Amino acid sequence: GAGVSQTPSNKVTEKGKYVELRCDPISGHTALYWYRQSLGQGPEFLIYFQGTGAADDSGLPNDRFFAVRPEGSVSTLKIQRTERGDSAVYLCASSWTRAEATDTQYFGPGTRLTVL
Amino acid sequence: AQSVSQHNHHVILSEAASLELGCNYSYGGTVNLFWYVQYPGQHLQLLLKYFSGDPLVKGIKGFEAEFIKSKFSFNLRKPSVQWSDTAEYFCAVNYMDTGRRALTFGSGTRLQVQP
């Protein structure tokens, strides 16, 4: 079946601008995650949704970052007043199980954000 | 804080050589363990996972990993690599006792297999 999809694949913006990144999880997956991957590093957790609610947003670096999942499917990561340090690949993952003990996350292709 | 270490940043092997990539995590509690692979131009894909039971787990494409709890390790192995195994490999850990679902990743190991 279709995997996790993310749009756009690339986004170039200017410092100070607002951006939205979209994630469409695997159909039927109730959990959705956002990660950020900087060059030469592994992904770093940002936020986790179970259904419509943010169950864990402890990884969001500051209040410029916000994410929503209003209908429990598609999610949007929003970044206000972008800074050059926000440049990274933003990854989305989803999983279907409610059981933490066997949770397996499947990743999308990512959105490469470049802030000039 | 929980962390994951992958000490080999870049590994170069010839085809048919054996592979072992190290992964160590920092915490002694209950963990779920994963290896993901990212082939050039592709997204992260799950290679294998460990939740419980037999500490030797087998994944796709002939890969396996062994969970050694006393060493906080989950090393990835393959007896004979192919050129198509050229990719970046990430170890990831879910620290179950924290009650969080977030994965903590290592910084990755870039594997280059020469024909």
Side-chain angles (χ1 to χ4, degrees):
Chain A
V4 177
S5 62
Q6 294 186 243
T7 54
S9 56
N10 280 284
K11 176 70 177 178
V12 180
T13 191
E14 293 179 342
K15 180 175 177 295
K17 299 289 189 182
Y18 168 83
V19 296
E20 290 190 351
L21 312 179
R22 174 188 167 110
C23 172
D24 203 336
I26 294 170
S27 178
H29 280 197
T30 59
L32 184 146
Y33 307 78
W34 284 98
Y35 291 81
R36 177 168 72 172
Q37 186 174 17
S38 301
L39 196 61
Q41 300 296 318
E44 293 180 307
F45 171 76
L46 295 176
I47 186 169
Y48 151 56
F49 289 89
Q50 184 62 257
T52 60
D56 181 358
D57 65 357
S58 61
L60 294 178
N62 52 60
D63 61 5
R64 296 187 298 105
F65 289 74
F66 189 71
V68 295
R69 195 186 185 199
E71 297 178 358
S73 179
V74 170
S75 176
T76 305
L77 178 66
K78 308 180 181 196
I79 310 174
Q80 298 177 322
R81 304 183 304 279
T82 52
E83 300 177 356
R84 293 193 180 89
D86 298 336
S87 296
V89 176
Y90 288 81
L91 298 171
C92 179
S94 69
S95 67
W96 67 271
T97 179
R98 289 187 177 273
E100 182 182 1
T102 57
D103 189 43
T104 301
Q105 298 176 29
Y106 297 92
F107 284 81
T111 294
R112 182 176 299 277
L113 175 66
T114 303
V115 182
L116 301 176
Chain B
Q2 295 88 11
S3 64
V4 178
S5 297
Q6 292 182 245
H7 302 294
N8 311 105
H9 298 295
H10 190 192
V11 173
I12 302 174
L13 295 173
S14 298
E15 274 193 313
S18 64
L19 170 73
E20 181 159 2
L21 301 182
C23 172
N24 287 89
Y25 60 95
S26 63
Y27 179 77
T30 305
V31 291
N32 285 349
L33 300 159
F34 304 84
W35 277 96
Y36 286 87
V37 60
Q38 189 166 26
Y39 297 104
Q42 298 187 26
H43 62 278
L44 276 171
Q45 299 173 35
L46 182 68
L47 257 185
L48 48 77
K49 58 190 177 184
Y50 172 81
F51 293 143
S52 63
D54 188 345
L56 184 62
V57 293
K58 296 191 183 298
I60 61 172
K61 304 185 179 185
F63 286 90
E64 65 179 30
E66 185 175 12
F67 170 47
I68 303 179
K69 189 172 183 179
S70 61
K71 294 185 178 181
F72 303 155
S73 71
F74 190 56
N75 291 357
L76 181 71
R77 300 194 292 246
K78 186 171 184 178
S80 176
V81 294
Q82 301 172 314
W83 178 78
S84 58
D85 293 325
T86 294
E88 189 147 21
Y89 293 79
F90 292 93
C91 180
V93 179
N94 178 251
Y95 291 93
M96 304 288 292
D97 296 347
T98 64
R100 299 176 61 219
R101 296 238 190 151
L103 292 177
T104 301
F105 282 83
S107 57
T109 297
R110 194 197 313 173
L111 172 65
Q112 185 177 345
V113 180
Q114 296 177 332

Short mmCIF file of all heavy atoms in Angstrom, two decimals, chain A residues 31 33 35 37 40-45 48 50 56 58-59 91 95 97-110, chain B residues 9 32 34 36 38 42-46 49-52 88 90 94-108:
data_model
loop_
_atom_site.label_atom_id
_atom_site.label_comp_id
_atom_site.label_asym_id
_atom_site.label_seq_id
_atom_site.Cartn_x
_atom_site.Cartn_y
_atom_site.Cartn_z
N ALA A 31 -1.12 6.87 15.03
CA ALA A 31 -0.03 7.66 15.60
C ALA A 31 0.78 8.33 14.50
O ALA A 31 1.04 7.73 13.45
CB ALA A 31 0.87 6.78 16.45
N TYR A 33 4.25 11.07 13.91
CA TYR A 33 5.43 11.66 14.54
C TYR A 33 6.09 12.63 13.58
O TYR A 33 6.13 12.39 12.37
CB TYR A 33 6.45 10.57 14.89
CG TYR A 33 5.91 9.42 15.69
CD1 TYR A 33 5.17 8.41 15.07
CD2 TYR A 33 6.13 9.33 17.05
CE1 TYR A 33 4.67 7.35 15.79
CE2 TYR A 33 5.64 8.27 17.79
CZ TYR A 33 4.91 7.29 17.15
OH TYR A 33 4.41 6.22 17.87
N TYR A 35 9.95 14.41 13.08
CA TYR A 35 11.36 14.45 13.46
C TYR A 35 12.06 15.47 12.58
O TYR A 35 11.59 15.82 11.51
CB TYR A 35 12.03 13.08 13.24
CG TYR A 35 11.58 11.98 14.17
CD1 TYR A 35 10.40 11.28 13.94
CD2 TYR A 35 12.35 11.61 15.27
CE1 TYR A 35 9.98 10.26 14.78
CE2 TYR A 35 11.95 10.59 16.12
CZ TYR A 35 10.76 9.92 15.87
OH TYR A 35 10.36 8.91 16.71
N GLN A 37 16.00 16.20 10.94
CA GLN A 37 17.32 15.63 10.72
C GLN A 37 18.25 16.68 10.13
O GLN A 37 18.05 17.11 8.98
CB GLN A 37 17.24 14.41 9.80
CG GLN A 37 18.56 13.67 9.64
CD GLN A 37 18.42 12.39 8.84
OE1 GLN A 37 17.43 12.18 8.15
NE2 GLN A 37 19.40 11.52 8.94
N GLY A 40 24.38 15.20 8.72
CA GLY A 40 25.35 14.42 9.47
C GLY A 40 24.84 13.89 10.80
O GLY A 40 25.62 13.31 11.58
N GLN A 41 23.56 14.06 11.05
CA GLN A 41 22.99 13.62 12.33
C GLN A 41 21.84 12.65 12.09
O GLN A 41 21.30 12.56 10.98
CB GLN A 41 22.46 14.82 13.12
CG GLN A 41 23.51 15.86 13.44
CD GLN A 41 24.59 15.31 14.36
OE1 GLN A 41 24.30 14.59 15.31
NE2 GLN A 41 25.83 15.64 14.06
N GLY A 42 21.47 11.94 13.13
CA GLY A 42 20.26 11.14 13.06
C GLY A 42 19.04 11.99 13.31
O GLY A 42 19.15 13.13 13.79
N PRO A 43 17.87 11.49 12.98
CA PRO A 43 16.64 12.25 13.24
C PRO A 43 16.47 12.55 14.73
O PRO A 43 16.82 11.73 15.58
CB PRO A 43 15.55 11.30 12.75
CG PRO A 43 16.21 10.41 11.76
CD PRO A 43 17.60 10.24 12.26
N GLU A 44 15.90 13.72 15.00
CA GLU A 44 15.59 14.13 16.37
C GLU A 44 14.10 14.35 16.50
O GLU A 44 13.50 15.04 15.67
CB GLU A 44 16.34 15.41 16.74
CG GLU A 44 17.84 15.25 16.83
CD GLU A 44 18.52 16.56 17.19
OE1 GLU A 44 18.25 17.56 16.51
OE2 GLU A 44 19.31 16.58 18.14
N PHE A 45 13.53 13.81 17.54
CA PHE A 45 12.09 13.85 17.77
C PHE A 45 11.60 15.27 18.00
O PHE A 45 12.24 16.06 18.71
CB PHE A 45 11.75 12.99 18.99
CG PHE A 45 10.34 13.12 19.48
CD1 PHE A 45 9.30 12.50 18.80
CD2 PHE A 45 10.05 13.87 20.60
CE1 PHE A 45 7.99 12.62 19.26
CE2 PHE A 45 8.75 14.00 21.06
CZ PHE A 45 7.73 13.37 20.39
N TYR A 48 4.62 14.10 18.79
CA TYR A 48 3.90 12.86 18.54
C TYR A 48 2.40 13.10 18.77
O TYR A 48 2.01 13.68 19.77
CB TYR A 48 4.44 11.77 19.47
CG TYR A 48 3.49 10.67 19.88
CD1 TYR A 48 2.84 9.90 18.93
CD2 TYR A 48 3.29 10.39 21.22
CE1 TYR A 48 1.99 8.87 19.32
CE2 TYR A 48 2.44 9.37 21.62
CZ TYR A 48 1.79 8.61 20.67
OH TYR A 48 0.95 7.60 21.05
N GLN A 50 -1.38 11.16 18.89
CA GLN A 50 -2.22 9.97 18.92
C GLN A 50 -3.63 10.46 18.59
O GLN A 50 -4.25 11.16 19.40
CB GLN A 50 -2.19 9.28 20.28
CG GLN A 50 -2.95 7.97 20.33
CD GLN A 50 -2.42 6.92 19.40
OE1 GLN A 50 -2.96 6.64 18.33
NE2 GLN A 50 -1.32 6.28 19.80
N ASP A 56 2.75 14.20 22.93
CA ASP A 56 4.09 14.53 23.42
C ASP A 56 4.68 15.57 22.47
O ASP A 56 4.97 15.25 21.33
CB ASP A 56 4.96 13.27 23.45
CG ASP A 56 6.37 13.52 23.96
OD1 ASP A 56 6.72 14.68 24.26
OD2 ASP A 56 7.13 12.53 24.07
N SER A 58 7.36 17.46 23.53
CA SER A 58 8.56 17.85 24.28
C SER A 58 9.77 18.13 23.40
O SER A 58 10.73 18.73 23.85
CB SER A 58 8.91 16.76 25.30
OG SER A 58 9.19 15.54 24.64
N GLY A 59 9.74 17.68 22.15
CA GLY A 59 10.87 17.89 21.26
C GLY A 59 10.81 19.18 20.46
O GLY A 59 11.80 19.53 19.81
N LEU A 91 11.14 15.07 8.87
CA LEU A 91 10.63 13.73 8.61
C LEU A 91 9.33 13.50 9.36
O LEU A 91 9.19 13.91 10.51
CB LEU A 91 11.64 12.67 9.05
CG LEU A 91 13.00 12.67 8.35
CD1 LEU A 91 13.96 11.73 9.05
CD2 LEU A 91 12.84 12.29 6.90
N SER A 95 2.49 5.16 12.75
CA SER A 95 2.39 3.78 13.22
C SER A 95 0.94 3.48 13.53
O SER A 95 0.14 4.40 13.77
CB SER A 95 3.28 3.55 14.44
OG SER A 95 2.82 4.27 15.56
N THR A 97 -0.25 0.93 15.82
CA THR A 97 -0.64 0.26 17.04
C THR A 97 -0.80 1.24 18.19
O THR A 97 -0.07 2.20 18.31
CB THR A 97 0.39 -0.81 17.44
OG1 THR A 97 -0.03 -1.42 18.66
CG2 THR A 97 1.76 -0.22 17.63
N ARG A 98 -1.74 0.98 19.03
CA ARG A 98 -1.89 1.77 20.25
C ARG A 98 -1.01 1.21 21.36
O ARG A 98 -0.85 1.82 22.40
CB ARG A 98 -3.35 1.76 20.72
CG ARG A 98 -4.26 2.58 19.83
CD ARG A 98 -5.65 2.69 20.42
NE ARG A 98 -6.51 3.54 19.63
CZ ARG A 98 -6.60 4.85 19.76
NH1 ARG A 98 -5.88 5.46 20.68
NH2 ARG A 98 -7.40 5.57 19.00
N ALA A 99 -0.44 0.01 21.12
CA ALA A 99 0.35 -0.63 22.15
C ALA A 99 1.79 -0.15 22.06
O ALA A 99 2.49 -0.43 21.09
CB ALA A 99 0.30 -2.14 21.98
N GLU A 100 2.21 0.57 23.06
CA GLU A 100 3.56 1.12 23.04
C GLU A 100 4.61 0.02 22.90
O GLU A 100 5.64 0.22 22.27
CB GLU A 100 3.81 1.90 24.32
CG GLU A 100 5.19 2.55 24.38
CD GLU A 100 5.42 3.27 25.69
OE1 GLU A 100 4.52 3.22 26.54
OE2 GLU A 100 6.48 3.86 25.86
N ALA A 101 4.32 -1.14 23.45
CA ALA A 101 5.32 -2.21 23.50
C ALA A 101 5.71 -2.71 22.12
O ALA A 101 6.77 -3.31 21.96
CB ALA A 101 4.81 -3.36 24.35
N THR A 102 4.86 -2.50 21.14
CA THR A 102 5.17 -3.01 19.80
C THR A 102 5.08 -1.92 18.74
O THR A 102 4.86 -2.19 17.56
CB THR A 102 4.23 -4.17 19.42
OG1 THR A 102 2.88 -3.70 19.52
CG2 THR A 102 4.43 -5.36 20.34
N ASP A 103 5.23 -0.69 19.15
CA ASP A 103 5.11 0.42 18.21
C ASP A 103 6.25 0.43 17.20
O ASP A 103 7.42 0.42 17.59
CB ASP A 103 5.10 1.73 19.01
CG ASP A 103 4.76 2.92 18.15
OD1 ASP A 103 3.83 2.81 17.33
OD2 ASP A 103 5.42 3.96 18.28
N THR A 104 5.91 0.44 15.93
CA THR A 104 6.91 0.49 14.86
C THR A 104 6.59 1.67 13.96
O THR A 104 5.49 1.75 13.42
CB THR A 104 6.90 -0.81 14.03
OG1 THR A 104 7.17 -1.91 14.89
CG2 THR A 104 7.95 -0.76 12.94
N GLN A 105 7.55 2.55 13.80
CA GLN A 105 7.32 3.77 13.04
C GLN A 105 7.85 3.61 11.62
O GLN A 105 8.95 3.11 11.40
CB GLN A 105 8.02 4.93 13.74
CG GLN A 105 7.44 5.18 15.14
CD GLN A 105 8.16 6.26 15.89
OE1 GLN A 105 8.71 7.21 15.32
NE2 GLN A 105 8.18 6.15 17.23
N TYR A 106 7.03 4.07 10.67
CA TYR A 106 7.37 4.03 9.25
C TYR A 106 7.50 5.45 8.76
O TYR A 106 6.60 6.28 8.97
CB TYR A 106 6.30 3.27 8.47
CG TYR A 106 6.21 1.82 8.90
CD1 TYR A 106 5.34 1.43 9.90
CD2 TYR A 106 7.04 0.86 8.33
CE1 TYR A 106 5.29 0.12 10.33
CE2 TYR A 106 6.99 -0.46 8.75
CZ TYR A 106 6.12 -0.82 9.76
OH TYR A 106 6.08 -2.12 10.18
N PHE A 107 8.60 5.72 8.08
CA PHE A 107 8.97 7.09 7.75
C PHE A 107 8.61 7.47 6.32
O PHE A 107 8.64 6.65 5.40
CB PHE A 107 10.47 7.29 7.97
CG PHE A 107 10.83 7.43 9.42
CD1 PHE A 107 10.98 6.31 10.21
CD2 PHE A 107 11.01 8.68 9.99
CE1 PHE A 107 11.29 6.43 11.56
CE2 PHE A 107 11.33 8.81 11.32
CZ PHE A 107 11.47 7.69 12.12
N GLY A 108 8.34 8.76 6.16
CA GLY A 108 8.15 9.33 4.84
C GLY A 108 9.47 9.81 4.26
O GLY A 108 10.52 9.71 4.91
N PRO A 109 9.43 10.38 3.04
CA PRO A 109 10.65 10.81 2.36
C PRO A 109 11.23 12.11 2.89
O PRO A 109 12.38 12.44 2.59
CB PRO A 109 10.20 10.97 0.91
CG PRO A 109 8.75 11.28 1.02
CD PRO A 109 8.24 10.52 2.20
N GLY A 110 10.46 12.85 3.66
CA GLY A 110 10.96 14.08 4.25
C GLY A 110 10.74 15.31 3.38
O GLY A 110 10.50 15.22 2.17
N HIS B 9 31.49 5.93 11.98
CA HIS B 9 30.78 6.94 11.20
C HIS B 9 30.79 6.61 9.71
O HIS B 9 29.83 6.90 8.99
CB HIS B 9 31.39 8.31 11.44
CG HIS B 9 31.28 8.75 12.87
ND1 HIS B 9 30.06 9.00 13.48
CD2 HIS B 9 32.21 8.94 13.82
CE1 HIS B 9 30.26 9.34 14.72
NE2 HIS B 9 31.55 9.31 14.97
N ASN B 32 12.97 -0.86 23.33
CA ASN B 32 12.71 -1.42 22.01
C ASN B 32 13.80 -0.90 21.09
O ASN B 32 14.19 0.27 21.18
CB ASN B 32 11.34 -0.99 21.48
CG ASN B 32 10.19 -1.73 22.15
OD1 ASN B 32 10.39 -2.69 22.88
ND2 ASN B 32 8.98 -1.26 21.91
N PHE B 34 15.76 -0.73 17.15
CA PHE B 34 15.51 -0.73 15.71
C PHE B 34 16.79 -0.42 14.95
O PHE B 34 17.65 0.32 15.43
CB PHE B 34 14.47 0.35 15.34
CG PHE B 34 13.17 0.24 16.09
CD1 PHE B 34 13.04 0.81 17.35
CD2 PHE B 34 12.08 -0.39 15.53
CE1 PHE B 34 11.85 0.73 18.06
CE2 PHE B 34 10.87 -0.48 16.22
CZ PHE B 34 10.77 0.08 17.49
N TYR B 36 17.36 1.15 11.10
CA TYR B 36 16.79 1.68 9.87
C TYR B 36 17.92 1.87 8.86
O TYR B 36 19.08 2.13 9.23
CB TYR B 36 16.13 3.04 10.11
CG TYR B 36 14.80 2.98 10.83
CD1 TYR B 36 14.74 2.98 12.22
CD2 TYR B 36 13.60 2.95 10.13
CE1 TYR B 36 13.52 2.94 12.89
CE2 TYR B 36 12.37 2.92 10.79
CZ TYR B 36 12.34 2.91 12.17
OH TYR B 36 11.14 2.87 12.83
N GLN B 38 18.93 3.89 5.08
CA GLN B 38 18.56 4.92 4.10
C GLN B 38 19.46 4.75 2.89
O GLN B 38 20.66 5.10 2.93
CB GLN B 38 18.71 6.31 4.69
CG GLN B 38 18.15 7.41 3.80
CD GLN B 38 17.99 8.72 4.55
OE1 GLN B 38 18.68 8.98 5.53
NE2 GLN B 38 17.07 9.55 4.10
N GLN B 42 16.71 7.68 -1.15
CA GLN B 42 15.47 7.07 -0.65
C GLN B 42 15.23 7.47 0.81
O GLN B 42 16.07 8.07 1.45
CB GLN B 42 15.53 5.56 -0.79
CG GLN B 42 15.66 5.09 -2.23
CD GLN B 42 15.54 3.58 -2.34
OE1 GLN B 42 14.92 2.92 -1.49
NE2 GLN B 42 16.13 3.03 -3.39
N HIS B 43 14.04 7.09 1.30
CA HIS B 43 13.71 7.45 2.67
C HIS B 43 14.12 6.34 3.64
O HIS B 43 14.53 5.25 3.21
CB HIS B 43 12.22 7.74 2.78
CG HIS B 43 11.35 6.56 2.45
ND1 HIS B 43 11.02 6.21 1.17
CD2 HIS B 43 10.73 5.67 3.25
CE1 HIS B 43 10.25 5.15 1.18
NE2 HIS B 43 10.05 4.79 2.43
N LEU B 44 14.06 6.63 4.91
CA LEU B 44 14.38 5.66 5.94
C LEU B 44 13.47 4.45 5.85
O LEU B 44 12.25 4.58 5.79
CB LEU B 44 14.19 6.29 7.32
CG LEU B 44 15.32 7.11 7.91
CD1 LEU B 44 14.85 7.81 9.17
CD2 LEU B 44 16.53 6.26 8.19
N GLN B 45 14.10 3.27 5.86
CA GLN B 45 13.32 2.03 5.81
C GLN B 45 13.71 1.15 6.99
O GLN B 45 14.87 1.13 7.39
CB GLN B 45 13.61 1.26 4.51
CG GLN B 45 13.26 2.02 3.26
CD GLN B 45 13.72 1.30 2.01
OE1 GLN B 45 13.71 0.07 1.95
NE2 GLN B 45 14.14 2.06 1.02
N LEU B 46 12.75 0.43 7.53
CA LEU B 46 13.02 -0.44 8.66
C LEU B 46 13.75 -1.70 8.20
O LEU B 46 13.31 -2.39 7.28
CB LEU B 46 11.69 -0.83 9.32
CG LEU B 46 11.78 -1.71 10.56
CD1 LEU B 46 12.42 -0.93 11.71
CD2 LEU B 46 10.41 -2.21 10.96
N LYS B 49 13.84 -5.11 13.96
CA LYS B 49 13.42 -4.55 15.24
C LYS B 49 13.47 -5.63 16.31
O LYS B 49 13.34 -6.83 16.01
CB LYS B 49 12.01 -3.98 15.14
CG LYS B 49 10.96 -5.00 14.71
CD LYS B 49 9.64 -4.34 14.41
CE LYS B 49 8.61 -5.35 13.90
NZ LYS B 49 7.33 -4.71 13.50
N TYR B 50 13.67 -5.18 17.54
CA TYR B 50 13.64 -6.07 18.69
C TYR B 50 12.70 -5.49 19.73
O TYR B 50 12.85 -4.34 20.14
CB TYR B 50 15.03 -6.24 19.30
CG TYR B 50 14.99 -7.00 20.60
CD1 TYR B 50 14.91 -8.39 20.62
CD2 TYR B 50 14.97 -6.32 21.81
CE1 TYR B 50 14.84 -9.07 21.81
CE2 TYR B 50 14.90 -7.01 23.01
CZ TYR B 50 14.83 -8.38 23.01
OH TYR B 50 14.74 -9.07 24.19
N PHE B 51 11.74 -6.34 20.16
CA PHE B 51 10.85 -5.93 21.24
C PHE B 51 11.10 -6.77 22.49
O PHE B 51 11.20 -6.26 23.60
CB PHE B 51 9.39 -6.07 20.82
CG PHE B 51 8.98 -5.12 19.72
CD1 PHE B 51 8.10 -5.52 18.73
CD2 PHE B 51 9.45 -3.82 19.68
CE1 PHE B 51 7.71 -4.65 17.71
CE2 PHE B 51 9.07 -2.94 18.67
CZ PHE B 51 8.20 -3.37 17.69
N SER B 52 11.16 -8.08 22.30
CA SER B 52 11.37 -8.99 23.42
C SER B 52 11.67 -10.37 22.84
O SER B 52 11.62 -10.57 21.63
CB SER B 52 10.14 -9.06 24.33
OG SER B 52 9.03 -9.57 23.62
N GLU B 88 23.19 4.50 4.36
CA GLU B 88 23.44 4.97 5.72
C GLU B 88 22.54 4.18 6.67
O GLU B 88 21.35 3.99 6.38
CB GLU B 88 23.17 6.47 5.85
CG GLU B 88 23.61 7.03 7.18
CD GLU B 88 24.12 8.45 7.10
OE1 GLU B 88 23.78 9.15 6.14
OE2 GLU B 88 24.85 8.86 8.03
N PHE B 90 21.03 3.59 10.56
CA PHE B 90 20.73 4.27 11.81
C PHE B 90 20.19 3.28 12.83
O PHE B 90 19.25 2.52 12.54
CB PHE B 90 19.68 5.37 11.59
CG PHE B 90 20.16 6.53 10.77
CD1 PHE B 90 19.96 6.54 9.39
CD2 PHE B 90 20.80 7.60 11.36
CE1 PHE B 90 20.39 7.61 8.62
CE2 PHE B 90 21.25 8.67 10.59
CZ PHE B 90 21.05 8.67 9.23
N ASN B 94 13.76 3.06 21.57
CA ASN B 94 12.63 3.61 22.31
C ASN B 94 12.82 3.22 23.77
O ASN B 94 12.84 2.03 24.09
CB ASN B 94 11.30 3.08 21.78
CG ASN B 94 10.12 3.61 22.57
OD1 ASN B 94 9.47 2.91 23.32
ND2 ASN B 94 9.86 4.88 22.43
N TYR B 95 13.02 4.22 24.62
CA TYR B 95 13.22 3.98 26.04
C TYR B 95 11.85 3.84 26.69
O TYR B 95 11.20 4.83 27.04
CB TYR B 95 14.02 5.12 26.66
CG TYR B 95 15.45 5.15 26.19
CD1 TYR B 95 15.85 5.93 25.10
CD2 TYR B 95 16.43 4.40 26.84
CE1 TYR B 95 17.16 5.95 24.68
CE2 TYR B 95 17.75 4.42 26.42
CZ TYR B 95 18.11 5.20 25.34
OH TYR B 95 19.41 5.22 24.92
N MET B 96 11.42 2.60 26.86
CA MET B 96 10.05 2.31 27.25
C MET B 96 9.71 2.86 28.63
O MET B 96 8.57 3.29 28.88
CB MET B 96 9.81 0.81 27.24
CG MET B 96 10.13 0.15 25.91
SD MET B 96 8.91 0.57 24.70
CE MET B 96 7.52 -0.30 25.38
N ASP B 97 10.65 2.87 29.54
CA ASP B 97 10.35 3.28 30.92
C ASP B 97 10.04 4.77 31.02
O ASP B 97 9.51 5.22 32.05
CB ASP B 97 11.52 2.93 31.84
CG ASP B 97 11.74 1.43 31.92
OD1 ASP B 97 10.85 0.67 31.49
OD2 ASP B 97 12.81 1.01 32.42
N THR B 98 10.36 5.53 29.99
CA THR B 98 10.04 6.96 30.03
C THR B 98 8.56 7.20 29.73
O THR B 98 8.07 8.31 29.94
CB THR B 98 10.86 7.74 28.99
OG1 THR B 98 10.50 7.30 27.68
CG2 THR B 98 12.36 7.51 29.20
N GLY B 99 7.88 6.18 29.20
CA GLY B 99 6.49 6.37 28.82
C GLY B 99 6.31 7.14 27.54
O GLY B 99 5.19 7.49 27.17
N ARG B 100 7.40 7.42 26.86
CA ARG B 100 7.32 8.19 25.62
C ARG B 100 7.52 7.28 24.42
O ARG B 100 8.18 6.26 24.50
CB ARG B 100 8.40 9.28 25.62
CG ARG B 100 8.28 10.27 26.76
CD ARG B 100 9.43 11.25 26.74
NE ARG B 100 9.42 12.02 25.50
CZ ARG B 100 10.53 12.34 24.84
NH1 ARG B 100 11.70 11.96 25.29
NH2 ARG B 100 10.44 13.04 23.72
N ARG B 101 6.95 7.68 23.29
CA ARG B 101 7.08 6.88 22.08
C ARG B 101 8.20 7.39 21.18
O ARG B 101 8.48 6.79 20.15
CB ARG B 101 5.77 6.93 21.29
CG ARG B 101 4.60 6.30 22.02
CD ARG B 101 4.02 5.22 21.20
NE ARG B 101 2.77 4.74 21.74
CZ ARG B 101 1.79 4.22 21.03
NH1 ARG B 101 1.90 4.17 19.72
NH2 ARG B 101 0.69 3.77 21.59
N ALA B 102 8.82 8.49 21.56
CA ALA B 102 9.85 9.05 20.71
C ALA B 102 11.00 8.08 20.55
O ALA B 102 11.43 7.43 21.50
CB ALA B 102 10.37 10.35 21.33
N LEU B 103 11.52 8.00 19.34
CA LEU B 103 12.74 7.24 19.09
C LEU B 103 13.94 8.15 19.27
O LEU B 103 13.92 9.31 18.83
CB LEU B 103 12.74 6.68 17.66
CG LEU B 103 11.72 5.59 17.35
CD1 LEU B 103 11.80 5.19 15.87
CD2 LEU B 103 11.94 4.38 18.24
N THR B 104 14.98 7.61 19.90
CA THR B 104 16.26 8.31 19.97
C THR B 104 17.19 7.62 18.99
O THR B 104 17.40 6.40 19.07
CB THR B 104 16.84 8.24 21.39
OG1 THR B 104 15.92 8.83 22.29
CG2 THR B 104 18.16 8.99 21.46
N PHE B 105 17.73 8.39 18.05
CA PHE B 105 18.57 7.85 16.99
C PHE B 105 20.04 8.08 17.27
O PHE B 105 20.43 9.09 17.88
CB PHE B 105 18.24 8.53 15.66
CG PHE B 105 16.99 8.02 14.99
CD1 PHE B 105 15.74 8.50 15.36
CD2 PHE B 105 17.07 7.07 13.97
CE1 PHE B 105 14.59 8.04 14.74
CE2 PHE B 105 15.91 6.62 13.34
CZ PHE B 105 14.68 7.10 13.74
N GLY B 106 20.87 7.17 16.77
CA GLY B 106 22.28 7.44 16.68
C GLY B 106 22.55 8.36 15.50
O GLY B 106 21.66 8.68 14.71
N SER B 107 23.80 8.75 15.35
CA SER B 107 24.15 9.71 14.29
C SER B 107 24.35 9.05 12.94
O SER B 107 24.57 9.73 11.95
CB SER B 107 25.41 10.49 14.68
OG SER B 107 26.47 9.60 14.92
N GLY B 108 24.27 7.73 12.91
CA GLY B 108 24.32 7.03 11.63
C GLY B 108 25.71 6.54 11.27
O GLY B 108 26.73 7.09 11.71
#
